[in-house]
């Protein structure tokens, strides 16, 4: 059974989907992945995960990204490549056996208010 939402309804956990993604020529899976990565970046920001230049990074294994998206490892890799080509993320290799850092980027001049 489902209930109607009221002014006092407690909402389930969710993450934000940036409005600017709607206008970008990305696959739907890439848009969803970006929203997921942006949510993780917010947590890294709150926890102070920054590099020597003060840039926030996330550590998010491809296996976990694929699992959360309900997609294959190949699709997850392709989506990360799509986001990197669009300039929305940057991946930095770390030393041997250390996980890569993913930097989530925001488009230049982007306004963050609703249309």
């Amino acid at each position: 059974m489902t209930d109607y939402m009221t002014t006092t309804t407690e909402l389930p956990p969710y993450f934000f989907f940036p409005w600017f993604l709607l206008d970008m020529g990305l696959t739907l899976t890439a848009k969803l992945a970006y929203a997921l990565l942006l949510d993780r970046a917010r947590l890294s920001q709150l926890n102070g995960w920054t590099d020597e230049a003060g840039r926030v990074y996330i550590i998010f294994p491809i296996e976990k990204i694929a699992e959360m998206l309900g997609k294959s490892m190949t699709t997850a890799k392709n989506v990360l490549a799509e986001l990197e080509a669009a300039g929305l993320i940057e991946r930095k290799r770390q030393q041997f056996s250390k996980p890569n850092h993913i930097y989530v980027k925001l488009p230049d001049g982007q306004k963050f208010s609703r249309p």
Side-chain angles (χ1 to χ4, degrees), residues 69-89:
L69 293 173
K71 301 291 183 181
S72 69
M73 290 272 293
T74 300
T75 298
K77 289 176 186 177
N78 290 341
V79 161
L80 290 175
E82 184 180 353
L83 291 173
E84 199 160 26
L88 292 176
I89 66 167

Side-chain angles (χ1 to χ4, degrees), residues 10-11 16 22 24 26 40 45 54 57 60 69 74 82 91 100:
E10 186 176 329
L11 295 175
F16 292 101
L22 296 175
M24 296 192 75
L26 300 170
R40 289 294 179 106
Q45 185 182 43
Y57 66 88
F60 203 0
L69 293 173
T74 300
E82 184 180 353
R91 294 180 282 178
N100 292 343

Side-chain angles (χ1 to χ4, degrees), residues 7-107:
T7 57
T8 59
T9 301
E10 186 176 329
L11 295 175
Y14 65 94
F15 56 85
F16 292 101
F17 187 91
W19 285 97
F20 68 83
L21 287 177
L22 296 175
D23 295 328
M24 296 192 75
L26 300 170
T27 63
L28 186 55
T29 302
K31 291 175 183 182
L32 181 59
Y34 180 81
L36 182 63
L37 295 172
L38 187 60
D39 184 65
R40 289 294 179 106
R42 183 185 55 80
L43 294 175
S44 289
Q45 185 182 43
L46 292 172
N47 290 316
W49 284 23
T50 59
D51 66 10
E52 62 282 345
R55 297 173 299 191
V56 172
Y57 66 88
I58 62 175
I59 296 174
F60 203 0
I62 292 174
E63 298 84 9
K64 189 69 175 169
I65 294 170
E67 179 185 322
M68 292 192 80
L69 293 173
K71 301 291 183 181
S72 69
M73 290 272 293
T74 300
T75 298
K77 289 176 186 177
N78 290 341
V79 161
L80 290 175
E82 184 180 353
L83 291 173
E84 199 160 26
L88 292 176
I89 66 167
E90 182 178 338
R91 294 180 282 178
K92 293 273 186 177
R93 287 193 173 274
Q94 299 304 301
Q95 296 173 357
F96 180 73
S97 79
K98 289 192 176 183
N100 292 343
H101 289 180
I102 300 173
Y103 296 87
V104 180
K105 300 163 92 178
L106 301 170

